[in-house]
Amino acid sequence: MPSIDDVTNAPDELSDDRADKLLEEADLVQDMMGEVCPYPQVEAKKGLQDLESGELLVQETDHVPCTENVPRAVGDDAEARVWRSGDATYRIYLRKR
Amino acid sequence: MVATILVVAVVGLALGVFLQKGRFCFVNAFRDFFAYKDSRVTKGVAVATLLTMVFWGIAYQFGYYGALWTPEWGLTGLVGGFVFGVGMTYAGGCASGTLYRAGEGYLQFWLTLLFMGVGYAAFAVAFPTLESTYFETFTFGSGVSLFTLSSIPAGLLALAVAGGAVLVYAAVLGRSSETGTLGGRSDVASVQLTALLAPIAGLRRIARGTREYVAGIVDAWRDPLAASKRPWDPRTAALGITGAAVLWFTQASIVGVTGPEARWTGYLLSQVGVDAESYDYWGSVLFQGQGVDVTTDMVMIGFVIVGAFLAASWSGDFSVRVPKRRRLPNAIGGGLLMGAGSRLAPGCNIGNIYSGIAELSVHSFIAAVGIVAGVYVMTRWIYREVGCAI
């Protein structure tokens, strides 16, 4: 049975606890608050270039489209998860493959 | 009067809601396609344009329409479109994207709007000179829509063009899926067979994609409250925008954004003591000698911002966002280029790519090429360090 995720192509969402725990583990955190497209996409690609396989990049952003565009931009280079605060801030978790 | 206000409010609010929920961004549609071949929003834009074309064609054929918008055609579309395309990519939002993000609370895009206004004002001041030089040189013929030019009834013509576009897309889609399965072992006969079967394979994939989409919508309806807060598929936005645009077309005209914005600029300046009417561009071109006052399309685009605000608040996406200082040049430069470019063309992404192609206006075909070329050049520049797929 197709779910809404098949339609919007949005990455899996993290629970609040998991999101906070993963943030502590992050190898690189990028502050993308106040940024607009496509700069977070470009920064994510640059950031991943500096990381080793298995390491975690987290972007903190308040730009709505980033939650979809950043994971799409890095494509197969990283496994993506998203956390929505429900208050117009978001985190994007990218684990380099 | 009440009916007019109701239509204006319904159309504006609907456009705002669907733009926001579908993240219907023309920069996204082309930039991300060039940068990493992401075509989700591109498909949404194509669906909206083709569907609108069919319904507008039918409405036009039976006389249920307000007015077409067909500026004179020539190289102005290419030049102005290119400037606009560069501007919207640099700003990070097109004419419609800037509006709905203003509604989401981005101070960045209110600043972009302000500098688009500066661009409109600068153009209005320079208009007499530009008219005798730039427009005189680069305008080749009077404006025309294929709806009026063609001997085929407009509805049929629109259906044929939209159907043709779907077939071409199906062929491309079919070929790309065939090459994967055939590998390198194809001989001449199988290549010819593939060329014939490609559109069929592509149509099957489109049908499958549409079925999955409908199933997803049905699934979402089981919990409409939760689904309404999640992001929507760009195709849902395309359907909603088409509905609003068809209502607008039967009651007023095509959907435009930068034209009404340029009128807002003239109107607001006149409120603070500037004699906007004495400038030819506002007095006789934009307000057509009717006096500088609030028009229905100006109110309509105001409602787009309100609609986007309501949708964003409902979804938890509204907040007053303060831009990073290093992004200010994007709002200023991008806004100026969009303001000036949309006047030099004339028309923005909505007027030319969406509405203009949907009404088969010759000017808009040229301007759309200019805009996409501008997006391409600017995307290559922004992605220069990390590489661009196309």
Side-chain angles (χ1 to χ4, degrees), chain B residues 236-270:
Chain B
T236 306
L239 292 175
I241 289 165
T242 301
V246 171
L247 176 59
W248 190 242
F249 187 66
T250 59
Q251 303 298 319
S253 179
I254 66 147
V255 179
V257 173
T258 47
E261 281 176 3
R263 275 192 279 276
W264 268 118
T265 308
Y267 174 77
L268 291 175
L269 285 175
S270 75

PDB file of all heavy atoms in Angstrom, chain B residues 236-270:
ATOM      1  N   THR B 236      -0.328  18.024  -6.677  1.00  0.00           N
ATOM      2  CA  THR B 236      -1.544  18.495  -6.003  1.00  0.00           C
ATOM      3  C   THR B 236      -1.636  20.011  -6.131  1.00  0.00           C
ATOM      4  O   THR B 236      -2.697  20.573  -6.425  1.00  0.00           O
ATOM      5  CB  THR B 236      -1.521  18.102  -4.516  1.00  0.00           C
ATOM      6  OG1 THR B 236      -1.302  16.701  -4.431  1.00  0.00           O
ATOM      7  CG2 THR B 236      -2.819  18.464  -3.825  1.00  0.00           C
ATOM      8  N   ALA B 237      -0.479  20.665  -5.922  1.00  0.00           N
ATOM      9  CA  ALA B 237      -0.430  22.112  -6.076  1.00  0.00           C
ATOM     10  C   ALA B 237      -0.810  22.495  -7.503  1.00  0.00           C
ATOM     11  O   ALA B 237      -1.562  23.450  -7.724  1.00  0.00           O
ATOM     12  CB  ALA B 237       0.967  22.627  -5.743  1.00  0.00           C
ATOM     13  N   ALA B 238      -0.316  21.715  -8.476  1.00  0.00           N
ATOM     14  CA  ALA B 238      -0.612  22.007  -9.879  1.00  0.00           C
ATOM     15  C   ALA B 238      -2.120  21.974 -10.129  1.00  0.00           C
ATOM     16  O   ALA B 238      -2.664  22.850 -10.809  1.00  0.00           O
ATOM     17  CB  ALA B 238       0.094  21.002 -10.787  1.00  0.00           C
ATOM     18  N   LEU B 239      -2.807  20.967  -9.551  1.00  0.00           N
ATOM     19  CA  LEU B 239      -4.259  20.861  -9.747  1.00  0.00           C
ATOM     20  C   LEU B 239      -4.978  22.059  -9.123  1.00  0.00           C
ATOM     21  O   LEU B 239      -5.865  22.657  -9.741  1.00  0.00           O
ATOM     22  CB  LEU B 239      -4.781  19.559  -9.126  1.00  0.00           C
ATOM     23  CG  LEU B 239      -4.336  18.271  -9.816  1.00  0.00           C
ATOM     24  CD1 LEU B 239      -4.820  17.050  -9.042  1.00  0.00           C
ATOM     25  CD2 LEU B 239      -4.879  18.222 -11.240  1.00  0.00           C
ATOM     26  N   GLY B 240      -4.579  22.408  -7.903  1.00  0.00           N
ATOM     27  CA  GLY B 240      -5.222  23.523  -7.216  1.00  0.00           C
ATOM     28  C   GLY B 240      -4.992  24.846  -7.923  1.00  0.00           C
ATOM     29  O   GLY B 240      -5.915  25.659  -8.080  1.00  0.00           O
ATOM     30  N   ILE B 241      -3.752  25.054  -8.367  1.00  0.00           N
ATOM     31  CA  ILE B 241      -3.419  26.300  -9.057  1.00  0.00           C
ATOM     32  C   ILE B 241      -4.199  26.393 -10.367  1.00  0.00           C
ATOM     33  O   ILE B 241      -4.711  27.457 -10.730  1.00  0.00           O
ATOM     34  CB  ILE B 241      -1.891  26.383  -9.297  1.00  0.00           C
ATOM     35  CG1 ILE B 241      -1.181  26.618  -7.958  1.00  0.00           C
ATOM     36  CG2 ILE B 241      -1.542  27.479 -10.287  1.00  0.00           C
ATOM     37  CD1 ILE B 241       0.301  26.361  -8.000  1.00  0.00           C
ATOM     38  N   THR B 242      -4.327  25.258 -11.063  1.00  0.00           N
ATOM     39  CA  THR B 242      -5.104  25.246 -12.302  1.00  0.00           C
ATOM     40  C   THR B 242      -6.547  25.662 -12.031  1.00  0.00           C
ATOM     41  O   THR B 242      -7.110  26.494 -12.749  1.00  0.00           O
ATOM     42  CB  THR B 242      -5.078  23.843 -12.944  1.00  0.00           C
ATOM     43  OG1 THR B 242      -3.723  23.496 -13.210  1.00  0.00           O
ATOM     44  CG2 THR B 242      -5.868  23.824 -14.238  1.00  0.00           C
ATOM     45  N   GLY B 243      -7.148  25.111 -10.983  1.00  0.00           N
ATOM     46  CA  GLY B 243      -8.528  25.462 -10.634  1.00  0.00           C
ATOM     47  C   GLY B 243      -8.678  26.956 -10.417  1.00  0.00           C
ATOM     48  O   GLY B 243      -9.582  27.597 -10.978  1.00  0.00           O
ATOM     49  N   ALA B 244      -7.757  27.529  -9.627  1.00  0.00           N
ATOM     50  CA  ALA B 244      -7.823  28.967  -9.347  1.00  0.00           C
ATOM     51  C   ALA B 244      -7.612  29.782 -10.620  1.00  0.00           C
ATOM     52  O   ALA B 244      -8.299  30.782 -10.857  1.00  0.00           O
ATOM     53  CB  ALA B 244      -6.770  29.331  -8.295  1.00  0.00           C
ATOM     54  N   ALA B 245      -6.658  29.326 -11.458  1.00  0.00           N
ATOM     55  CA  ALA B 245      -6.335  30.078 -12.673  1.00  0.00           C
ATOM     56  C   ALA B 245      -7.487  30.046 -13.676  1.00  0.00           C
ATOM     57  O   ALA B 245      -7.727  31.021 -14.391  1.00  0.00           O
ATOM     58  CB  ALA B 245      -5.062  29.527 -13.313  1.00  0.00           C
ATOM     59  N   VAL B 246      -8.207  28.916 -13.726  1.00  0.00           N
ATOM     60  CA  VAL B 246      -9.343  28.825 -14.651  1.00  0.00           C
ATOM     61  C   VAL B 246     -10.457  29.766 -14.193  1.00  0.00           C
ATOM     62  O   VAL B 246     -11.045  30.498 -14.992  1.00  0.00           O
ATOM     63  CB  VAL B 246      -9.839  27.364 -14.760  1.00  0.00           C
ATOM     64  CG1 VAL B 246     -11.157  27.297 -15.534  1.00  0.00           C
ATOM     65  CG2 VAL B 246      -8.790  26.506 -15.455  1.00  0.00           C
ATOM     66  N   LEU B 247     -10.724  29.789 -12.886  1.00  0.00           N
ATOM     67  CA  LEU B 247     -11.728  30.724 -12.354  1.00  0.00           C
ATOM     68  C   LEU B 247     -11.326  32.174 -12.681  1.00  0.00           C
ATOM     69  O   LEU B 247     -12.140  32.978 -13.123  1.00  0.00           O
ATOM     70  CB  LEU B 247     -11.864  30.535 -10.841  1.00  0.00           C
ATOM     71  CG  LEU B 247     -12.808  31.494 -10.110  1.00  0.00           C
ATOM     72  CD1 LEU B 247     -14.220  31.386 -10.672  1.00  0.00           C
ATOM     73  CD2 LEU B 247     -12.826  31.210  -8.605  1.00  0.00           C
ATOM     74  N   TRP B 248     -10.036  32.485 -12.472  1.00  0.00           N
ATOM     75  CA  TRP B 248      -9.535  33.841 -12.724  1.00  0.00           C
ATOM     76  C   TRP B 248      -9.670  34.210 -14.194  1.00  0.00           C
ATOM     77  O   TRP B 248     -10.038  35.327 -14.548  1.00  0.00           O
ATOM     78  CB  TRP B 248      -8.079  33.932 -12.249  1.00  0.00           C
ATOM     79  CG  TRP B 248      -7.519  35.327 -12.235  1.00  0.00           C
ATOM     80  CD1 TRP B 248      -6.468  35.793 -12.967  1.00  0.00           C
ATOM     81  CD2 TRP B 248      -7.957  36.430 -11.426  1.00  0.00           C
ATOM     82  NE1 TRP B 248      -6.234  37.112 -12.682  1.00  0.00           N
ATOM     83  CE2 TRP B 248      -7.132  37.528 -11.741  1.00  0.00           C
ATOM     84  CE3 TRP B 248      -8.971  36.587 -10.485  1.00  0.00           C
ATOM     85  CZ2 TRP B 248      -7.286  38.772 -11.136  1.00  0.00           C
ATOM     86  CZ3 TRP B 248      -9.130  37.832  -9.881  1.00  0.00           C
ATOM     87  CH2 TRP B 248      -8.291  38.908 -10.211  1.00  0.00           C
ATOM     88  N   PHE B 249      -9.359  33.244 -15.082  1.00  0.00           N
ATOM     89  CA  PHE B 249      -9.402  33.478 -16.526  1.00  0.00           C
ATOM     90  C   PHE B 249     -10.828  33.791 -16.976  1.00  0.00           C
ATOM     91  O   PHE B 249     -11.056  34.686 -17.797  1.00  0.00           O
ATOM     92  CB  PHE B 249      -8.883  32.239 -17.255  1.00  0.00           C
ATOM     93  CG  PHE B 249      -8.721  32.410 -18.746  1.00  0.00           C
ATOM     94  CD1 PHE B 249      -7.781  33.299 -19.264  1.00  0.00           C
ATOM     95  CD2 PHE B 249      -9.481  31.666 -19.640  1.00  0.00           C
ATOM     96  CE1 PHE B 249      -7.614  33.443 -20.631  1.00  0.00           C
ATOM     97  CE2 PHE B 249      -9.318  31.804 -21.012  1.00  0.00           C
ATOM     98  CZ  PHE B 249      -8.384  32.691 -21.505  1.00  0.00           C
ATOM     99  N   THR B 250     -11.802  33.069 -16.433  1.00  0.00           N
ATOM    100  CA  THR B 250     -13.190  33.307 -16.855  1.00  0.00           C
ATOM    101  C   THR B 250     -13.704  34.642 -16.310  1.00  0.00           C
ATOM    102  O   THR B 250     -14.570  35.256 -16.911  1.00  0.00           O
ATOM    103  CB  THR B 250     -14.137  32.183 -16.381  1.00  0.00           C
ATOM    104  OG1 THR B 250     -14.078  32.120 -14.954  1.00  0.00           O
ATOM    105  CG2 THR B 250     -13.749  30.841 -16.966  1.00  0.00           C
ATOM    106  N   GLN B 251     -13.165  35.098 -15.161  1.00  0.00           N
ATOM    107  CA  GLN B 251     -13.670  36.319 -14.541  1.00  0.00           C
ATOM    108  C   GLN B 251     -12.838  37.553 -14.862  1.00  0.00           C
ATOM    109  O   GLN B 251     -13.362  38.660 -14.912  1.00  0.00           O
ATOM    110  CB  GLN B 251     -13.727  36.159 -13.013  1.00  0.00           C
ATOM    111  CG  GLN B 251     -14.565  34.993 -12.554  1.00  0.00           C
ATOM    112  CD  GLN B 251     -16.013  35.138 -12.970  1.00  0.00           C
ATOM    113  OE1 GLN B 251     -16.585  36.210 -12.897  1.00  0.00           O
ATOM    114  NE2 GLN B 251     -16.606  34.054 -13.447  1.00  0.00           N
ATOM    115  N   ALA B 252     -11.511  37.374 -15.034  1.00  0.00           N
ATOM    116  CA  ALA B 252     -10.663  38.545 -15.216  1.00  0.00           C
ATOM    117  C   ALA B 252      -9.712  38.373 -16.395  1.00  0.00           C
ATOM    118  O   ALA B 252      -9.998  38.820 -17.500  1.00  0.00           O
ATOM    119  CB  ALA B 252      -9.876  38.813 -13.940  1.00  0.00           C
ATOM    120  N   SER B 253      -8.583  37.696 -16.167  1.00  0.00           N
ATOM    121  CA  SER B 253      -7.574  37.588 -17.215  1.00  0.00           C
ATOM    122  C   SER B 253      -6.659  36.422 -16.891  1.00  0.00           C
ATOM    123  O   SER B 253      -6.997  35.567 -16.081  1.00  0.00           O
ATOM    124  CB  SER B 253      -6.782  38.893 -17.285  1.00  0.00           C
ATOM    125  OG  SER B 253      -5.793  38.810 -18.282  1.00  0.00           O
ATOM    126  N   ILE B 254      -5.478  36.422 -17.489  1.00  0.00           N
ATOM    127  CA  ILE B 254      -4.484  35.416 -17.135  1.00  0.00           C
ATOM    128  C   ILE B 254      -3.906  35.811 -15.765  1.00  0.00           C
ATOM    129  O   ILE B 254      -4.103  36.918 -15.302  1.00  0.00           O
ATOM    130  CB  ILE B 254      -3.368  35.333 -18.179  1.00  0.00           C
ATOM    131  CG1 ILE B 254      -2.562  36.629 -18.194  1.00  0.00           C
ATOM    132  CG2 ILE B 254      -3.928  35.017 -19.557  1.00  0.00           C
ATOM    133  CD1 ILE B 254      -1.127  36.434 -18.520  1.00  0.00           C
ATOM    134  N   VAL B 255      -3.195  34.864 -15.145  1.00  0.00           N
ATOM    135  CA  VAL B 255      -2.598  35.155 -13.844  1.00  0.00           C
ATOM    136  C   VAL B 255      -1.225  35.792 -14.061  1.00  0.00           C
ATOM    137  O   VAL B 255      -0.382  35.246 -14.763  1.00  0.00           O
ATOM    138  CB  VAL B 255      -2.434  33.868 -13.005  1.00  0.00           C
ATOM    139  CG1 VAL B 255      -1.783  34.180 -11.672  1.00  0.00           C
ATOM    140  CG2 VAL B 255      -3.785  33.211 -12.809  1.00  0.00           C
ATOM    141  N   GLY B 256      -1.026  36.969 -13.482  1.00  0.00           N
ATOM    142  CA  GLY B 256       0.266  37.638 -13.543  1.00  0.00           C
ATOM    143  C   GLY B 256       0.677  38.039 -12.146  1.00  0.00           C
ATOM    144  O   GLY B 256      -0.167  38.144 -11.252  1.00  0.00           O
ATOM    145  N   VAL B 257       1.968  38.256 -11.934  1.00  0.00           N
ATOM    146  CA  VAL B 257       2.435  38.668 -10.607  1.00  0.00           C
ATOM    147  C   VAL B 257       3.177  40.001 -10.670  1.00  0.00           C
ATOM    148  O   VAL B 257       2.856  40.939  -9.940  1.00  0.00           O
ATOM    149  CB  VAL B 257       3.346  37.593  -9.972  1.00  0.00           C
ATOM    150  CG1 VAL B 257       3.968  38.101  -8.683  1.00  0.00           C
ATOM    151  CG2 VAL B 257       2.555  36.330  -9.680  1.00  0.00           C
ATOM    152  N   THR B 258       4.159  40.094 -11.579  1.00  0.00           N
ATOM    153  CA  THR B 258       4.993  41.292 -11.571  1.00  0.00           C
ATOM    154  C   THR B 258       4.271  42.510 -12.143  1.00  0.00           C
ATOM    155  O   THR B 258       4.567  43.635 -11.738  1.00  0.00           O
ATOM    156  CB  THR B 258       6.317  41.057 -12.322  1.00  0.00           C
ATOM    157  OG1 THR B 258       6.032  40.437 -13.562  1.00  0.00           O
ATOM    158  CG2 THR B 258       7.245  40.190 -11.506  1.00  0.00           C
ATOM    159  N   GLY B 259       3.314  42.301 -13.055  1.00  0.00           N
ATOM    160  CA  GLY B 259       2.519  43.431 -13.555  1.00  0.00           C
ATOM    161  C   GLY B 259       1.789  44.121 -12.399  1.00  0.00           C
ATOM    162  O   GLY B 259       1.965  45.325 -12.162  1.00  0.00           O
ATOM    163  N   PRO B 260       0.961  43.342 -11.645  1.00  0.00           N
ATOM    164  CA  PRO B 260       0.298  43.930 -10.474  1.00  0.00           C
ATOM    165  C   PRO B 260       1.285  44.514  -9.454  1.00  0.00           C
ATOM    166  O   PRO B 260       0.999  45.549  -8.849  1.00  0.00           O
ATOM    167  CB  PRO B 260      -0.451  42.740  -9.865  1.00  0.00           C
ATOM    168  CG  PRO B 260      -0.657  41.795 -10.999  1.00  0.00           C
ATOM    169  CD  PRO B 260       0.478  41.990 -11.938  1.00  0.00           C
ATOM    170  N   GLU B 261       2.455  43.868  -9.288  1.00  0.00           N
ATOM    171  CA  GLU B 261       3.446  44.404  -8.341  1.00  0.00           C
ATOM    172  C   GLU B 261       3.958  45.769  -8.800  1.00  0.00           C
ATOM    173  O   GLU B 261       4.150  46.682  -7.989  1.00  0.00           O
ATOM    174  CB  GLU B 261       4.632  43.440  -8.196  1.00  0.00           C
ATOM    175  CG  GLU B 261       4.347  42.268  -7.277  1.00  0.00           C
ATOM    176  CD  GLU B 261       5.498  41.273  -7.233  1.00  0.00           C
ATOM    177  OE1 GLU B 261       6.536  41.526  -7.884  1.00  0.00           O
ATOM    178  OE2 GLU B 261       5.348  40.247  -6.566  1.00  0.00           O
ATOM    179  N   ALA B 262       4.187  45.886 -10.119  1.00  0.00           N
ATOM    180  CA  ALA B 262       4.649  47.176 -10.649  1.00  0.00           C
ATOM    181  C   ALA B 262       3.575  48.238 -10.457  1.00  0.00           C
ATOM    182  O   ALA B 262       3.872  49.412 -10.217  1.00  0.00           O
ATOM    183  CB  ALA B 262       5.025  47.031 -12.125  1.00  0.00           C
ATOM    184  N   ARG B 263       2.302  47.820 -10.558  1.00  0.00           N
ATOM    185  CA  ARG B 263       1.204  48.761 -10.280  1.00  0.00           C
ATOM    186  C   ARG B 263       1.190  49.150  -8.806  1.00  0.00           C
ATOM    187  O   ARG B 263       0.982  50.311  -8.463  1.00  0.00           O
ATOM    188  CB  ARG B 263      -0.142  48.142 -10.693  1.00  0.00           C
ATOM    189  CG  ARG B 263      -0.458  48.346 -12.166  1.00  0.00           C
ATOM    190  CD  ARG B 263      -1.902  47.981 -12.472  1.00  0.00           C
ATOM    191  NE  ARG B 263      -2.070  46.539 -12.622  1.00  0.00           N
ATOM    192  CZ  ARG B 263      -1.845  45.891 -13.753  1.00  0.00           C
ATOM    193  NH1 ARG B 263      -1.465  46.544 -14.828  1.00  0.00           N
ATOM    194  NH2 ARG B 263      -2.011  44.595 -13.824  1.00  0.00           N
ATOM    195  N   TRP B 264       1.413  48.156  -7.912  1.00  0.00           N
ATOM    196  CA  TRP B 264       1.502  48.458  -6.485  1.00  0.00           C
ATOM    197  C   TRP B 264       2.565  49.528  -6.225  1.00  0.00           C
ATOM    198  O   TRP B 264       2.372  50.443  -5.444  1.00  0.00           O
ATOM    199  CB  TRP B 264       1.878  47.199  -5.672  1.00  0.00           C
ATOM    200  CG  TRP B 264       0.713  46.419  -5.151  1.00  0.00           C
ATOM    201  CD1 TRP B 264       0.401  45.116  -5.475  1.00  0.00           C
ATOM    202  CD2 TRP B 264      -0.282  46.841  -4.210  1.00  0.00           C
ATOM    203  NE1 TRP B 264      -0.734  44.731  -4.801  1.00  0.00           N
ATOM    204  CE2 TRP B 264      -1.178  45.764  -4.017  1.00  0.00           C
ATOM    205  CE3 TRP B 264      -0.518  48.034  -3.525  1.00  0.00           C
ATOM    206  CZ2 TRP B 264      -2.275  45.837  -3.165  1.00  0.00           C
ATOM    207  CZ3 TRP B 264      -1.612  48.112  -2.671  1.00  0.00           C
ATOM    208  CH2 TRP B 264      -2.485  47.020  -2.501  1.00  0.00           C
ATOM    209  N   THR B 265       3.728  49.367  -6.900  1.00  0.00           N
ATOM    210  CA  THR B 265       4.817  50.318  -6.708  1.00  0.00           C
ATOM    211  C   THR B 265       4.363  51.724  -7.069  1.00  0.00           C
ATOM    212  O   THR B 265       4.574  52.678  -6.313  1.00  0.00           O
ATOM    213  CB  THR B 265       6.042  49.919  -7.562  1.00  0.00           C
ATOM    214  OG1 THR B 265       6.338  48.547  -7.289  1.00  0.00           O
ATOM    215  CG2 THR B 265       7.250  50.772  -7.246  1.00  0.00           C
ATOM    216  N   GLY B 266       3.705  51.844  -8.251  1.00  0.00           N
ATOM    217  CA  GLY B 266       3.211  53.152  -8.671  1.00  0.00           C
ATOM    218  C   GLY B 266       2.176  53.699  -7.700  1.00  0.00           C
ATOM    219  O   GLY B 266       2.206  54.878  -7.326  1.00  0.00           O
ATOM    220  N   TYR B 267       1.277  52.815  -7.247  1.00  0.00           N
ATOM    221  CA  TYR B 267       0.220  53.234  -6.338  1.00  0.00           C
ATOM    222  C   TYR B 267       0.803  53.698  -4.999  1.00  0.00           C
ATOM    223  O   TYR B 267       0.448  54.764  -4.486  1.00  0.00           O
ATOM    224  CB  TYR B 267      -0.764  52.082  -6.115  1.00  0.00           C
ATOM    225  CG  TYR B 267      -1.808  52.391  -5.064  1.00  0.00           C
ATOM    226  CD1 TYR B 267      -2.886  53.220  -5.354  1.00  0.00           C
ATOM    227  CD2 TYR B 267      -1.700  51.860  -3.781  1.00  0.00           C
ATOM    228  CE1 TYR B 267      -3.835  53.525  -4.389  1.00  0.00           C
ATOM    229  CE2 TYR B 267      -2.643  52.156  -2.808  1.00  0.00           C
ATOM    230  CZ  TYR B 267      -3.701  52.986  -3.121  1.00  0.00           C
ATOM    231  OH  TYR B 267      -4.630  53.285  -2.165  1.00  0.00           O
ATOM    232  N   LEU B 268       1.714  52.902  -4.430  1.00  0.00           N
ATOM    233  CA  LEU B 268       2.289  53.245  -3.126  1.00  0.00           C
ATOM    234  C   LEU B 268       3.095  54.546  -3.209  1.00  0.00           C
ATOM    235  O   LEU B 268       3.028  55.385  -2.314  1.00  0.00           O
ATOM    236  CB  LEU B 268       3.167  52.095  -2.603  1.00  0.00           C
ATOM    237  CG  LEU B 268       2.390  50.836  -2.212  1.00  0.00           C
ATOM    238  CD1 LEU B 268       3.341  49.707  -1.821  1.00  0.00           C
ATOM    239  CD2 LEU B 268       1.420  51.125  -1.058  1.00  0.00           C
ATOM    240  N   LEU B 269       3.823  54.719  -4.336  1.00  0.00           N
ATOM    241  CA  LEU B 269       4.578  55.967  -4.508  1.00  0.00           C
ATOM    242  C   LEU B 269       3.618  57.151  -4.602  1.00  0.00           C
ATOM    243  O   LEU B 269       3.897  58.226  -4.066  1.00  0.00           O
ATOM    244  CB  LEU B 269       5.469  55.888  -5.751  1.00  0.00           C
ATOM    245  CG  LEU B 269       6.723  55.028  -5.596  1.00  0.00           C
ATOM    246  CD1 LEU B 269       7.466  54.910  -6.923  1.00  0.00           C
ATOM    247  CD2 LEU B 269       7.658  55.605  -4.535  1.00  0.00           C
ATOM    248  N   SER B 270       2.476  56.946  -5.275  1.00  0.00           N
ATOM    249  CA  SER B 270       1.514  58.048  -5.403  1.00  0.00           C
ATOM    250  C   SER B 270       0.922  58.412  -4.040  1.00  0.00           C
ATOM    251  O   SER B 270       0.526  59.545  -3.806  1.00  0.00           O
ATOM    252  CB  SER B 270       0.411  57.694  -6.405  1.00  0.00           C
ATOM    253  OG  SER B 270      -0.484  56.767  -5.824  1.00  0.00           O
TER     254      SER B 270
END
